[in-house]
Amino acid sequence: MDFDLGGSKFSNSESTLTFNFTLSVNHELKVVMNTEELNVALQPCNSMKICSEEQGKANWERWMLTRVTPVLTGRSRFSISSSGVFTAYLQCEFEIDAICGLKSDNSTQLVPVHTMITLPDNIVDSETGVTVSRIPLRIGKHLSHNVFHTESFAQNRSGYIDFEVKQKDVDIMLTTRPDTYRGAVTLVFDASIY
């Protein structure tokens, strides 16, 4: 007798009523990329560091003197809002040894570019339960890899993708100089819907 069904036309003499509810729960997953960061120019730098273009020029000059090959690094930032479980994986324009690749403009030479994701601290790796910091991403969707769980909902938190070409692969790139290497790496975020 405590329910108001919205009008005086409903009457019931029964002491019990059965209500069937259908509830829709939507998992929010929203990723926003800064359009200025869709093109990433890799710079010579130390591993796990990100260098500016100015620092990159200085590091190339240092290489010309020392011949110690640098690592090439770059970063693309994004913001993410998530309330559940999702998978992240790569699609690549070029692929080499199951890793996305960069291709020479002057030849058919390919080198691998390692792609790693860092997510806000409210999102953890579903397999290990630890925060997501520079976890390597794989090509194609795998149900047991790169699955992430949102522990607490938060909107517009910062994350980023790091790209790195290892020293031995930069040595290969230098054999075709002057040259430009390029390739498209697409990151797919796929919400798990239950």
Side-chain angles (χ1 to χ4, degrees):
M1 304 249 185
D2 291 331
F3 288 97
D4 180 359
L5 297 177
S8 59
K9 294 182 181 178
F10 178 79
S11 64
N12 184 26
S13 60
E14 299 291 324
S15 61
T16 62
L17 291 174
T18 302
F19 294 95
N20 294 318
F21 292 97
T22 302
L23 303 174
S24 295
V25 179
N26 295 318
H27 167 30
E28 181 173 342
L29 178 62
K30 180 181 175 185
V31 178
V32 178
M33 296 293 298
N34 181 342
T35 55
E36 295 171 2
E37 297 204 24
L38 291 177
N39 292 316
V40 178
L42 304 181
Q43 299 294 335
C45 206
N46 292 328
S47 184
M48 298 179 62
K49 303 264 186 198
I50 303 299
C51 289
S52 68
E53 188 175 346
E54 291 266 325
Q55 292 168 320
K57 286 179 184 177
N59 288 338
W60 277 131
E61 289 173 10
R62 189 174 299 114
W63 170 80
M64 291 174 76
L65 296 172
T66 65
R67 294 299 184 191
V68 175
T69 307
V71 173
L72 297 180
T73 65
R75 177 174 286 170
S76 182
R77 292 172 179 79
F78 59 88
S79 65
I80 184 169
S81 301
S82 176
S83 64
V85 177
F86 63 92
T87 304
Y89 60 93
L90 302 174
Q91 293 176 343
C92 309
E93 180 180 8
F94 306 109
E95 189 176 326
I96 179 170
D97 299 328
I99 296 174
C100 289
L102 302 175
K103 184 179 179 297
S104 163
D105 282 354
N106 294 343
S107 69
T108 59
Q109 181 66 53
L110 287 172
V111 294
V113 58
H114 300 267
T115 308
M116 297 149 288
I117 189 168
T118 298
L119 294 169
D121 60 6
N122 66 312
I123 301 173
V124 297
D125 184 298
S126 290
E127 187 176 346
T128 64
V130 299
T131 56
V132 180
S133 180
R134 293 181 53 89
I135 291 181
L137 289 169
R138 296 177 183 231
I139 297 172
K141 184 174 181 177
H142 299 272
L143 296 178
S144 60
H145 299 291
N146 299 134
V147 179
F148 306 108
H149 171 73
T150 306
E151 289 190 318
S152 61
F153 176 72
Q155 288 186 305
N156 298 319
R157 299 283 301 272
S158 295
Y160 52 87
I161 305 298
D162 280 327
F163 301 96
E164 186 171 292
V165 177
K166 305 288 186 193
Q167 196 173 32
K168 66 181 179 62
D169 297 313
V170 176
D171 281 330
I172 292 168
M173 295 170 80
L174 291 169
T175 63
T176 63
R177 72 180 187 274
D179 200 350
T180 300
Y181 281 74
R182 64 183 90 228
V185 176
T186 303
L187 176 58
V188 179
F189 288 89
D190 189 5
S192 297
I193 306 297
Y194 299 102

